[in-house]
Amino acid sequence: MSGTDMDVPSMVRAPLPSPVPAEEYEQCPVTDVLRRVGDKWSVLVIVLLGKRSYRFNELHRGIETISQRMLTRTLRGLAADGLVHREVFPTVPPSVEYSLTPLGRTLLVPLSALADWVVQHRAEIAAARQSRS
Amino acid sequence: MSGTDMDVPSMVRAPLPSPVPAEEYEQCPVTDVLRRVGDKWSVLVIVLLGKRSYRFNELHRGIETISQRMLTRTLRGLAADGLVHREVFPTVPPSVEYSLTPLGRTLLVPLSALADWVVQHRAEIAAARQSRS
DNA sequence: CGGTATCCCGAACGATACTG
DNA sequence: CAGTATCGTTCGGGATACCG
C-alpha cells in the first residue's frame, strides 16, 4: 500500500543522470504485467471472474464479441500467470470451470482502482481526444 | 474512493443473465485506457514525467532503448489523451518540453498502486509461469 | 534539436472449419 | 461442451534515412 510516489525498483532511479539501462529494462516487470492486462480481453475476463466462477461457454456468451480462440488464449494466459484457476470435470459432455485464484483476486483491487480512475476521467480523455482531432 | 467491488458502468452488469453486449462493449473505456497504458513505453514515460518535465532528447537518452519514432508516437498519444503537455519553445535550435498535465498526474496514483501490486507479486507470477513451462 | 517518412517484421487478433 | 487447426488481416514496433 504505498502511494503516489511511484518508485519502480531499479527501473527509474534519479531525475536525470541515470538513464534506464537496457539491461535493467529488458522487460520491466510492471510493463510486462500491464501488457498482459492491457490486451484486448483480460480485464473483462478478470472482472467477470471476480463476480463468480464461470464455465467456458458461459464466458463466451457473457462476452459475446470474443471469439472462441481468443477466449481460450486469454484464459490460458491468465492461468499460466497464476491468476486464473482452470478446473476440468470429467463428465460427459466435459465441463470446465474457471475462477480467480487468490492471487488473481488480489489483482482485482488495484485493477478496480485504475478502472475507477478511468470512469472518473473518461470524459476528460474523450474531450482531449476530440479537441485534437 | 471505491474499492474492490469492481463495477464498470454498463459494461458488466449482473452475474449471468446479462452478456456484455457488442454495442456497449464496442471498446470498453477501461480496456481502452489500459491498452494505451499497456503499450511498450507509456508507463515508463509517465513515470519519468512524474518526477519532473523533460525535453525530447532528455527522454530519449533517459530511456536509451526507445527509438525516436516510438518516443514521438508515445508522447503524441499521451498528449492526445490529455495526459501529457507538450510545449514548444521557438528558440534556435527549437526546444520542446514535456510534462504531465494535472490529469496525467492523477493517473500516477492508481498506476503506482498497480505497479506496487506487480512488485509485490512478481515472484508468484514468475513461479506460476515457470511451473507451466 | 526534434522530429517525419518509409519499409519491414512478428505478434495479436478475427473468421471459419473441424474434433475428443 | 470445450476446445484445436488453419488462414488471413491488422497493428505495434524497430531500423534506417531524411528534414525544418
Side-chain angles (χ1 to χ4, degrees), chain B residues 86-122:
Chain B
R86 178 174 184 269
E87 187 158 14
V88 184
F89 298 97
T91 58
V92 253
S95 111
V96 182
E97 204 167 272
Y98 293 93
S99 55
L100 288 188
T101 61
L103 179 62
R105 218 164 289 116
T106 67
L107 176 57
L108 223 42
V109 178
L111 215 51
S112 82
L114 197 54
D116 288 342
W117 183 92
V118 173
V119 170
Q120 280 171 24
H121 298 284
R122 51 191 286 193

Side-chain angles (χ1 to χ4, degrees), chain A residues 95-116:
Chain A
S95 112
V96 182
E97 204 168 273
Y98 292 94
S99 55
L100 289 187
T101 61
L103 180 62
R105 218 163 290 114
T106 67
L107 176 57
L108 221 44
V109 178
L111 216 51
S112 82
L114 197 54
D116 288 343

Side-chain angles (χ1 to χ4, degrees), chain A residues 28-68:
Chain A
C28 158
V30 175
T31 295
D32 187 44
V33 171
L34 277 171
R35 284 173 74 84
R36 153 152 303 307
V37 144
D39 74 10
K40 198 168 180 182
W41 303 109
S42 288
V43 184
L44 209 39
V45 168
I46 290 172
V47 170
L48 277 171
L49 291 180
K51 312 242 173 200
R52 63 174 180 85
S53 34
Y54 280 82
R55 291 179 49 187
F56 186 85
N57 277 340
E58 271 185 316
L59 282 172
H60 198 192
R61 285 187 301 270
I63 296 185
E64 196 175 58
T65 50
I66 196 175
S67 65
Q68 230 174 18

Side-chain angles (χ1 to χ4, degrees), chain A residues 2-3 6 11 15 19-22 25 32 35 38 40 43-44 47 54 61-64 81 106 112 116-117 129, chain B residues 2-3 6 11 15 19-22 25 32 34-35 38 40 44 47 54 61-64 81 106 112 116-117 129:
Chain A
S2 90
M6 189 111 163
M11 190 181 102
V20 179
Y25 176 74
D32 187 44
R35 284 173 74 84
K40 198 168 180 182
V43 184
L44 209 39
V47 170
Y54 280 82
R61 285 187 301 270
I63 296 185
E64 196 175 58
D81 282 4
T106 67
S112 82
D116 288 343
W117 183 92
R129 286 184 184 173
Chain B
S2 92
M6 189 110 163
M11 190 182 99
V20 179
Y25 176 73
D32 187 44
L34 277 171
R35 283 174 74 84
K40 196 169 181 182
L44 207 41
V47 170
Y54 280 82
R61 284 188 301 271
I63 296 184
E64 195 176 58
D81 282 3
T106 67
S112 82
D116 288 342
W117 183 92
R129 285 184 185 173

